[in-house]
Amino acid sequence: MRKDFLWGGATAAHQTEGAWDVGGKGISIADVMTVGGPGIPRRITDGVLEGENYPNHEATDFYHHYKEDIALLAEMGFKSFRTSIAWTRIFPRGDEDEPNEEGLKFYDDLFDELRKYNIEPLVTLCHFELPWALVKEYDGFLNRKTIGFFVKFATACFERYKDKVTYWMTFNEINNQADAIQHHILQEGGILLNGRENAEEIMYQSSHYELVASALAVKKGLEINPNFKIGCMIGYNPVYPATCKPEDVLMAQAAMNQKYWWAYVHVRGEYPHWLLNKFERHGYKIDITEEDKQILKEGVVNYLTFSYYMSFAIKADPENNPHYDYDRKYFVKNEYLKASDWGWQIDPVGLRWGLNWFYDRFGLPMMIVENGFGAYDKVEEDGTINDDYRIAYLREHIRALKAACEEDGVDLLGYQMWSPIDIVSASTGEMDKRYGFVYVNKNNAGEGDLSRSRKKSFFWYKHVIETNGEELD
Ligand code: BG6
């Protein structure tokens, strides 16, 4: 592995910071989401309501524990740490003229603390955290005005942290929307679907405005500091054909296109031909102006990041779905893979396959910015936590990425495990779906004193970093 490989971990503001109403912070969409559970969706309430359980309000209180937490990361030898800037700390409603100084100051202190230990900060600008006022009053990214609000926010961050942060990502898992249309919300774009009929068209329109916002931010950022690395962030879970039947192979290709087209626009600055055909076939009228096209060309990203947790398999149904439109209802269980307690199919080989898929298409330097295993952990009587299942998952995924680098020759800048310290799960709002090397004493009901303790995997990852990935056992 390269000597400067960025071994580290990733998380997001709303899943860790808590302090939802401290320091002038406004309400974000994550602040109105209740706790759910396996198979129980989170609800979105109309503002913050008395008597509801909002797990992100306190989360793991990173806002007040960040020094202790960063010291733990430094003890493991972290070279990098990814988090997001909560938009509502900087612009509490999203549409103000001036940023909130107290919010800006918090991230100054946080980045200084990381730099103290030579930990490179990797920063996402928007990680499922749209200001609630933009959701309620503007319809999120379905409104062209939100482009301007985002660019103002991004510019404030670039200017303030230009000497502290080099690696940026614009929108976390921007392509999650391909799957979200079956739910009640497009969280990344801040749009409440609530039964609106043309959900797919809405998704394409808001995605377009987000992509324009991202491209404008990239342009602006590189003017402010030409050394910035500004990337896209794709939620990447490859889709395999269920069998070698040619129709299944075609369906898998169509699914890959329809799940990952956002990367084409981010990297190549233009829409793939087949997607424009799809718009036409469905009669979607997407507002894409000539000026937008120019902006997309001028604001292409200069590295590519993605998360990886699992893979899927899909079956074709040419009779009922002759155009091979992507829909999760065609997914089938992959009989070769085991799954986590949340049904996420464990597939390290898919990570190697995915690294090659991206590199062949786009040829950009890449970074894995999320990969991890959500599981129930047991605290033994003596206080130890023996999370061998997590070590096994991470070990095999690191083996796979090493093969992609050393045997296949992909250009990989780093690996950020998700999430080094337990967090609130994004999909379910649970604390008990644990990811960390560090245990946080708090459960789904919100009970616990938030104390931190090292799991077995903590010592394992420390050794992985020390040996630059040479010793994984
Ligand atoms: C990614 C998100 O989709 O997966 C994270 O970027 C999220 O925010 C992670 O936490 C794991 O998903 P979950 O639902 O288990 O928290």
Side-chain angles (χ1 to χ4, degrees), residues 10-12 14-15 42 82 127-128 172-173 176 188 233 235 237 307-310 342 344 369-374 418-419 423-430 433-435:
T11 187
H14 72 285
Q15 290 171 270
R42 302 182 75 176
R82 169 179 178 238
H127 191 131
F128 309 157
N172 182 66
E173 293 188 340
N176 270 0
E188 193 58 86
M233 198 297 204
N237 304 299
S307 60
Y308 179 85
Y309 290 92
M310 60 193 140
W342 281 261
W344 293 20
V369 292
E370 286 186 31
N371 174 238
F373 190 61
W418 182 273
S419 150
I423 37 106
V424 172
S425 153
S427 57
T428 68
E430 293 169 286
K433 186 181 187 188
R434 296 182 184 276
Y435 281 91

Side-chain angles (χ1 to χ4, degrees), residues 159 238 276:
E159 276 171 351
L276 297 172

Side-chain angles (χ1 to χ4, degrees), residues 131-377:
W132 181 238
L134 295 188
V135 177
K136 277 294 280 183
E137 295 169 35
Y138 294 86
D139 216 0
F141 267 100
L142 199 51
N143 188 333
R144 206 175 245 284
K145 280 191 186 148
T146 303
I147 298 176
F149 299 140
F150 176 77
V151 175
K152 187 188 286 176
F153 161 58
T155 305
C157 296
F158 291 149
E159 276 171 351
R160 179 74 170 224
Y161 309 120
K162 62 177 185 303
D163 301 321
K164 297 185 182 183
V165 176
T166 302
Y167 292 90
W168 301 88
M169 283 142 275
T170 52
F171 291 95
N172 182 66
E173 293 188 340
I174 187 167
N175 61 311
N176 270 0
Q177 307 178 60
D179 295 309
I181 51 170
Q182 284 136 50
H183 304 300
H184 51 300
I185 180 190
L186 300 180
Q187 191 173 351
E188 193 58 86
I191 297 154
L192 305 177
L193 290 172
N194 293 336
R196 286 195 246 185
E197 266 173 16
N198 51 345
E200 191 171 65
E201 190 173 13
I202 290 177
M203 182 273 283
Y204 283 124
Q205 182 62 71
S206 64
S207 293
H208 174 67
Y209 290 153
E210 279 176 69
L211 287 162
V212 172
S214 172
L216 283 168
V218 171
K219 268 181 76 178
K220 194 80 201 164
L222 293 175
E223 276 161 33
I224 292 168
N225 183 346
N227 294 323
F228 277 170
K229 307 269 178 256
I230 312 182
C232 54
M233 198 297 204
I234 303 294
Y236 191 67
N237 304 299
V239 185
Y240 302 148
T243 69
C244 52
K245 192 174 158 197
E247 284 81 358
D248 287 347
V249 176
L250 200 60
M251 184 68 220
Q253 184 185 51
M256 289 297 286
N257 280 345
Q258 289 166 73
K259 265 174 87 67
Y260 302 116
W261 64 267
W262 286 260
Y264 288 80
V265 183
H266 272 303
V267 177
R268 295 189 180 146
E270 61 187 22
Y271 278 82
H273 57 276
W274 56 263
L275 184 58
L276 297 172
N277 282 0
K278 180 174 179 182
F279 293 165
E280 216 173 287
R281 184 158 35 83
H282 286 268
Y284 294 157
K285 302 262 170 292
I286 311 296
D287 170 35
I288 303 175
T289 66
E290 288 307 310
E291 195 190 345
D292 291 347
K293 289 185 191 161
Q294 188 61 28
I295 291 168
L296 293 177
K297 274 268 172 237
E298 291 169 4
V300 294
V301 295
N302 56 15
Y303 79 119
L304 186 151
T305 80
F306 66 93
S307 60
Y308 179 85
Y309 290 92
M310 60 193 140
S311 65
F312 294 111
I314 201 161
K315 250 194 136 15
D317 182 2
E319 215 170 288
N320 298 306
N321 184 21
H323 300 297
Y324 294 80
D325 283 335
Y326 168 67
D327 193 316
R328 284 171 80 95
K329 73 180 179 203
Y330 301 114
F331 280 167
V332 294
K333 196 168 170 305
N334 186 332
E335 60 178 288
Y336 298 100
L337 301 177
K338 293 205 171 80
S340 78
D341 287 333
W342 281 261
W344 293 20
Q345 297 183 135
I346 303 164
D347 179 15
V349 175
L351 178 58
R352 178 174 180 182
W353 189 87
L355 280 160
N356 279 287
W357 187 90
F358 271 127
Y359 199 54
D360 282 354
R361 271 168 186 74
F362 302 123
L364 281 182
M366 296 178 290
M367 178 123 53
I368 299 165
V369 292
E370 286 186 31
N371 174 238
F373 190 61
Y376 294 109
D377 288 337

